Amino acid sequence: MLARLKNILCPTLEKYDQTTLNELKERESSDIEEINSLDWGLETNLALEEARRLYIEEDERRGSAESKASNLLLVASALIPLITYFENLILGGDKEPYAWGYILIFIIAMFYFLAASYWAFKVVSVGNYYRVYPIDITRLWKNGKEVSESLVVELLTAVRLNQERINDKLSYFKMAQEYIFRAVIAFSILLLMRVSYSLWGFSIEPIHLFFSFLFQFLGSVFSEFSLFILSLRDSA
């Protein structure tokens, strides 16, 4: 229960232990070794077509994640002046009742906002990414033997080496989405509290009245239900 609540309030990315990392590394090496050892002379055109398709799809998957993360960072940069104005609007009345509540929620909202920016930055950060460059194709042509088969190997090797890195980028972007969603919720709550204070002059009083009525109602229902249960027991 506590773990689930923690994940709702502050989601974290699952970290692999060293054993799992070693297994992933061994699996990657094994896959690359298998790619290099296979005879691609059978249905070479089909293999080359599929290798190209996988290469393009993985590159588009990476580009999509980086593009969305870049847009999120642009939005975050554009919102910084607005957040400054929002801070003055929310925290301007330091003598207001329950001003500490505004400050607390504002700090939580800023934490979510900065966390979303951090994960988005990790998506677009420069890392090792394997591609098939012109010099690689030139090298294949210089060898002069089984060019199509060698190109299949180059493309599939690049796809396999990039697989975990692209998966990491997608995981980072998912975390950025999780935190930006929570930041929007926190800022919305903060704005509603401020609006309630502006309307009623005492932002928490309507909430107090609502919960006071709710608890009194639930208490009366519970009392009547208890008396009903006792009467059933006595009649039995």
Side-chain angles (χ1 to χ4, degrees):
M1 184 65 181
L2 292 177
R4 184 177 180 182
L5 179 62
K6 177 180 177 296
N7 189 58
I8 292 175
L9 297 177
C10 186
T12 57
L13 191 63
E14 182 181 357
K15 292 183 178 180
Y16 295 130
D17 55 25
Q18 192 60 42
T19 302
T20 305
L21 290 175
N22 292 336
E23 290 177 355
L24 291 175
K25 191 67 176 177
E26 291 177 1
R27 188 183 308 168
E28 181 182 271
S29 301
S30 176
D31 291 345
I32 293 175
E33 183 179 351
E34 186 174 359
I35 291 172
N36 283 274
S37 63
L38 283 177
D39 181 12
W40 298 101
L42 180 64
E43 297 288 347
T44 305
N45 292 333
L46 177 60
L48 184 58
E49 181 182 350
E50 288 300 307
R52 286 172 177 168
R53 181 183 62 82
L54 290 173
Y55 185 85
I56 293 173
E57 286 181 355
E58 287 298 286
D59 192 60
E60 290 177 348
R61 199 161 66 107
R62 176 189 62 86
S64 176
E66 291 183 351
S67 177
K68 291 177 182 178
S70 298
N71 291 337
L72 193 150
L73 287 174
L74 289 175
V75 171
S77 301
L79 285 178
I80 290 177
L82 183 60
I83 289 175
T84 304
Y85 171 77
F86 195 70
E87 175 189 7
N88 294 330
L89 178 66
I90 295 297
L91 306 178
D94 55 349
K95 294 183 180 180
E96 295 178 3
Y98 298 95
W100 58 269
Y102 298 146
I103 297 174
L104 177 62
I105 298 179
F106 184 80
I107 291 174
I108 294 174
M110 284 303 303
F111 167 76
Y112 287 147
F113 181 79
L114 293 175
S117 301
Y118 166 77
W119 286 110
F121 181 76
K122 284 183 70 68
V123 176
V124 300
S125 60
V126 178
N128 293 329
Y129 188 73
Y130 297 89
R131 300 183 64 89
V132 178
Y133 290 97
I135 189 62
D136 298 316
I137 298 178
T138 303
R139 174 174 50 81
L140 296 179
W141 249 259
K142 282 184 178 180
N143 293 334
K145 294 181 180 180
E146 301 176 347
V147 176
S148 297
E149 292 89 331
S150 299
L151 185 56
V152 170
V153 172
E154 289 287 336
L155 290 173
L156 292 181
T157 299
V159 170
R160 183 61 185 90
L161 289 173
N162 293 327
Q163 179 177 319
E164 299 299 335
R165 293 164 178 81
I166 296 175
N167 289 339
D168 288 341
K169 284 181 177 289
L170 294 176
S171 297
Y172 298 155
F173 181 69
K174 181 181 177 181
M175 293 299 297
Q177 285 183 312
E178 293 283 347
Y179 276 105
I180 199 66
F181 172 74
R182 285 160 175 77
V184 170
I185 295 297
F187 277 120
S188 299
I189 293 174
L190 193 60
L191 183 59
L192 287 174
M193 290 179 62
R194 179 58 182 173
V195 169
S196 68
Y197 179 81
S198 300
L199 292 177
W200 289 292
F202 192 62
S203 57
I204 310 300
E205 184 63 25
I207 302 175
H208 279 171
L209 292 175
F210 171 75
F211 281 105
S212 177
F213 172 78
L214 179 63
F215 291 149
Q216 289 179 6
F217 175 75
L218 292 177
S220 61
V221 170
F222 180 77
S223 298
E224 293 295 332
F225 182 74
S226 299
L227 293 174
F228 176 71
I229 295 297
L230 291 174
S231 63
L232 289 179
R233 189 184 64 177
D234 293 340
S235 61

